[in-house]
Amino acid sequence: MKRAMLIINPSSGKEKAKDFEDEAVAILEQNHVDVTVKYTEKEGDAVRFARAACENHFNTLVAMGGDGTINEAVNGLAMEKERPDFGFIPLGTVNDFARALGIPMQPKKALQVLGQQHTKPVDIGQINERYFMNVLAVGAIAEAVYDVSPEQKSRFGPLAYLIEGAKALKDKTPFDLTISYDGKMWEGEAYIMLVALTNSVGGIESFARHAEVNDGYFHVFILREFSLPQVFKIIPDLFSGKLQNNGQVEYFPASQLKVESKSDLVVNIDGDEGVHLPFEAKVMHNELNIFVPEE
């Protein structure tokens, strides 16, 4: 007597999310006797619905929407001890979490993954009292994310973030950073710090090519030096998955972090403005069972 809940953000996917509702329900009904559909109307709705799915012992939760909707659903699930299997249909612009899990970008193909009923344990991150799926960022490029317009995303894709980031970095000076991690410490000046949970950041699937979705680690990248000529040297390594070998970049894996700075800095959490430094973060290993394509 399996039951499923489907969370839909009607404004996602250029307001086409509801176009896929009937097909999603039909696929879920193949393996569930009851499918409950919930529509988000405001911020926080997906968190509330996901928590209700846990409290009412649903077997499956599926979220259909952009990165913000998926992030809210993950936050709702992570707060609870008993959790349903989780699936999602990516309708956002970048969809890094879906890219890392091999979930198709085309909604109809992503829906077929739900019918396969194949799940995989996946890590998520916790920063202070919030949870995230993909990346933490500190510095100019993190702030530049807020300046990328929908038109730029459509026209340039992931390169839009590099373009805005390079423009932002041009006028920036490095900031001090102290990172305590797994009994070790890194101190120095940096222009950017990126903490990746998966291989895909900003739509660049080779960003941390060696990262696995359930390896139990953050993958920390720190840009220690910056000039425009140096950026052009970094780009080939970025797209070939060799960023950690670049001489301008400090790299290390970590299962937990404490990040401090004398500068007034705000961390970007999965593309949204987050908390001020200092912050603490840790990997929640194998926290969610997520529907992924059969290998």
Side-chain angles (χ1 to χ4, degrees), residues 35-273:
V35 178
T36 299
V37 181
K38 298 283 189 179
Y39 304 106
T40 63
E41 297 178 353
K42 59 186 183 299
E43 185 177 348
D45 279 352
V47 176
R48 184 165 53 85
F49 295 150
R51 294 188 72 177
C54 298
E55 292 165 358
N56 291 290
H57 309 292
F58 279 79
N59 306 94
T60 299
L61 174 70
V62 175
M64 187 183 300
D67 292 338
T69 304
I70 310 307
N71 185 284
E72 282 199 12
V74 166
N75 270 266
L77 292 173
M79 296 176 184
E80 304 299 319
K81 291 183 179 179
E82 184 179 328
R83 295 181 289 268
D85 291 336
F86 179 53
F88 63 96
I89 309 304
L91 298 176
T93 305
V94 179
N95 303 312
D96 277 318
F97 199 38
R99 292 174 187 273
L101 292 167
I103 294 172
M105 297 296 104
Q106 301 83 3
K108 284 185 173 292
K109 291 184 178 180
L111 284 168
Q112 298 307 312
V113 173
L114 301 178
Q116 296 173 1
Q117 290 287 289
H118 178 69
T119 63
K120 181 176 186 174
V122 173
D123 298 342
I124 60 172
Q126 181 178 357
I127 173 170
N128 295 354
E129 300 305 316
R130 287 177 59 176
Y131 302 89
F132 64 99
M133 311 165 297
N134 208 66
V135 66
L136 303 175
V138 177
I141 201 166
E143 298 164 8
V145 167
Y146 313 131
D147 298 325
V148 177
S149 68
E151 292 76 20
Q152 286 176 297
K153 293 177 185 177
S154 298
R155 184 176 179 186
F156 299 111
L159 285 175
Y161 295 104
L162 289 178
I163 293 166
E164 286 299 321
K167 283 161 50 178
L169 278 167
K170 182 168 64 72
D171 301 318
K172 292 291 183 179
T173 56
F175 51 85
D176 69 284
L177 207 57
T178 300
I179 306 173
S180 305
Y181 66 100
D182 296 352
K184 303 175 185 178
M185 181 175 289
W186 186 91
E187 291 184 279
E189 291 194 328
Y191 284 90
I192 300 169
M193 182 188 74
L194 289 170
V195 180
L197 258 176
T198 72
N199 64 293
S200 184
V201 175
I204 302 171
E205 295 180 37
S206 59
F207 192 97
R209 180 166 286 172
H210 53 294
E212 301 289 342
V213 294
N214 54 6
D215 60 15
Y217 286 100
F218 294 128
H219 299 269
V220 183
F221 298 85
I222 301 166
L223 179 62
R224 295 181 284 104
E225 303 171 29
F226 174 79
S227 70
L228 284 177
Q230 289 172 330
V231 166
F232 290 118
K233 291 179 182 178
I234 285 176
I235 288 174
D237 289 339
L238 182 61
F239 284 95
S240 64
K242 298 177 181 177
L243 190 60
Q244 70 269 26
N245 299 326
N246 189 287
Q248 302 165 65
V249 176
E250 186 84 21
Y251 164 78
F252 53 85
S255 61
Q256 55 186 1
L257 300 164
K258 182 177 181 180
V259 182
E260 302 171 281
S261 177
K262 296 173 185 174
S263 303
D264 183 19
L265 299 168
V266 177
V267 60
N268 180 304
I269 305 173
D270 278 348
D272 292 324
E273 188 170 346

